[in-house]
């Protein structure tokens, strides 16, 4: 919730500034949207978490808790114009993050992750108003966790919490293009939702750590600041 609050506050401030300046009638980068292909880059923040589905509904003192934190995003943007308001985007990037998994028995597992993230997205824009153009976007992506311990023969009995290296997601988001004098600035907010189970269960079918987990899948929020 705090991620959305921060982003919405930023959007409000930026929108207010540019709505006031829009009365100047100075249109920046008038031919920018005529380009068939353009490139850019982004930096930002991420907030990853895991959604846990249990085999049997746990009691309040049997729930596994996950402590998450903010991580960093950096990447490149390749944008192909399909139609007047529709673009296809490829945004390869690097994401870093860390989580703490807290088990009911008091055990804790730290998960540090470095992802190569590869999204292919459709961007649908509204009509440009002076130097502002809002948009929505969505699509599919995959990631490869360079810090994955998928092939580790040990499990939680040896303090090793294992997750899969590769997963697939669908992504949904929105943003605003601000046309400045020399470049386009585009803050955006995006939700990322894994489509597969990422947990590698312990060898012991009665493991106190993973036996009651049916599925574990990533949920994430990205705040990106793009420059074109």
């Amino acid at each position: 919730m705090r991620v959305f609050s921060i982003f919405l506050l930023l959007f409000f401030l930026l929108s207010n500034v540019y709505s006031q300046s829009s009365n100047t009638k100075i249109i920046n980068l008038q031919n920018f949207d005529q380009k068939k292909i353009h490139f850019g880059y982004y930096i930002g923040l991420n907030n990853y978490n895991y959604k846990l589905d249990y085999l049997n509904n746990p009691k309040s003192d049997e729930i596994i808790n996950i402590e998450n934190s903010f991580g960093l995003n950096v990447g490149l943007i390749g944008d192909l114009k399909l139609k007047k308001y529709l673009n296809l985007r490829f945004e390869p990037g690097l994401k870093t993050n860390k989580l703490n998994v807290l088990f009911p028995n008091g055990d804790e597992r730290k998960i540090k992750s470095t992802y190569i993230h590869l999204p292919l997205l459709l961007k649908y824009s509204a009509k440009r108003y002076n130097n502002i153009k809002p948009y929505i976007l969505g699509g599919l992506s995959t990631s490869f966790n360079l810090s994955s311990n998928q092939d580790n023969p040990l499990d939680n009995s040896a303090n090793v919490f294992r997750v899969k290296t590769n997963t697939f997601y669908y992504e949904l988001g929105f943003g605003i293009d601000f046309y400045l004098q020399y470049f386009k600035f585009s803050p955006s907010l995006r939700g990322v939702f894994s489509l597969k189970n990422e947990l590698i269960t312990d060898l012991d079918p009665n493991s106190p750590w993973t036996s009651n987990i049916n599925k574990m899948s990533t949920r994430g929020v990205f705040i990106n600041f793009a420059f074109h």
Side-chain angles (χ1 to χ4, degrees):
M1 191 66 183
R2 57 183 177 178
V3 176
F4 285 91
S5 299
I6 293 172
F7 188 80
L8 290 174
L9 176 60
L10 177 63
F11 257 44
F12 174 78
L13 294 174
L14 288 172
S15 298
N16 186 54
V17 170
Y18 280 89
S19 63
Q20 293 177 8
S21 65
S22 64
N23 294 325
T24 61
K25 306 299 183 180
I26 297 175
I27 306 300
N28 297 321
L29 305 177
Q30 296 185 42
N31 298 319
F32 188 94
D33 292 335
Q34 304 306 315
K35 299 178 182 178
K36 185 68 175 179
I37 298 175
H38 73 264
F39 300 95
Y41 68 93
Y42 64 87
I43 58 175
L45 301 173
N46 65 66
N47 192 262
Y48 279 97
N49 207 330
Y50 285 123
K51 180 179 182 294
L52 297 177
D53 294 329
Y54 295 93
L55 291 170
N56 300 301
N57 289 332
K59 299 177 182 178
S60 59
D61 59 350
E62 296 175 338
I63 294 176
I64 298 171
N65 293 304
I66 298 174
E67 294 180 343
N68 56 359
S69 60
F70 285 100
L72 296 176
N73 305 333
V74 293
L76 303 174
I77 299 171
D79 188 290
L80 172 65
K81 180 180 178 181
L82 300 178
K83 293 184 177 181
K84 185 174 182 179
Y85 298 115
L86 186 65
N87 296 62
L88 180 66
R89 308 189 74 170
F90 181 53
E91 301 183 356
L94 183 73
K95 325 286 186 187
T96 63
N97 203 285
K98 60 182 179 180
L99 299 170
N100 291 333
V101 182
L102 307 176
F103 292 98
N105 62 6
D107 286 349
E108 179 180 347
R109 302 286 184 268
K110 296 183 181 296
I111 304 176
K112 294 183 178 180
S113 301
T114 302
Y115 297 97
I116 298 295
H117 191 75
L118 305 171
L120 188 63
L121 307 167
L122 285 173
K123 174 188 175 185
Y124 183 77
S125 303
K127 184 178 180 180
R128 176 173 173 173
Y129 177 73
N130 290 339
N131 291 316
I132 300 174
K133 186 170 68 173
Y135 63 86
I136 58 174
L137 76 171
L140 299 174
S141 61
T142 186
S143 70
F144 298 89
N145 187 354
L146 302 180
S147 304
S148 170
N149 54 8
Q150 175 175 301
D151 298 324
N152 195 323
L154 303 177
D155 60 20
N156 279 288
S157 60
N159 298 322
V160 177
F161 187 80
R162 298 178 297 175
V163 293
K164 296 177 182 177
T165 300
N166 171 243
T167 192
F168 297 92
Y169 314 87
Y170 69 90
E171 304 190 15
L172 298 171
F174 67 93
I176 299 179
D177 288 333
F178 294 103
Y179 296 82
L180 307 182
Q181 185 175 0
Y182 298 109
F183 62 91
K184 185 173 72 172
F185 172 59
S186 303
S188 65
L189 177 66
R190 191 176 310 167
V192 180
F193 309 90
S194 176
L195 295 169
K196 61 184 288 188
N197 182 17
E198 299 171 51
L199 176 69
I200 300 177
T201 56
D202 294 338
L203 299 176
D204 181 1
N206 298 313
S207 164
W209 299 280
T210 65
S211 62
N212 195 32
I213 301 176
N214 181 49
K215 183 180 180 181
M216 185 182 79
S217 51
T218 293
R219 296 289 184 267
V221 176
F222 296 166
I223 299 176
N224 287 337
F225 302 96
F227 302 85
H228 303 264

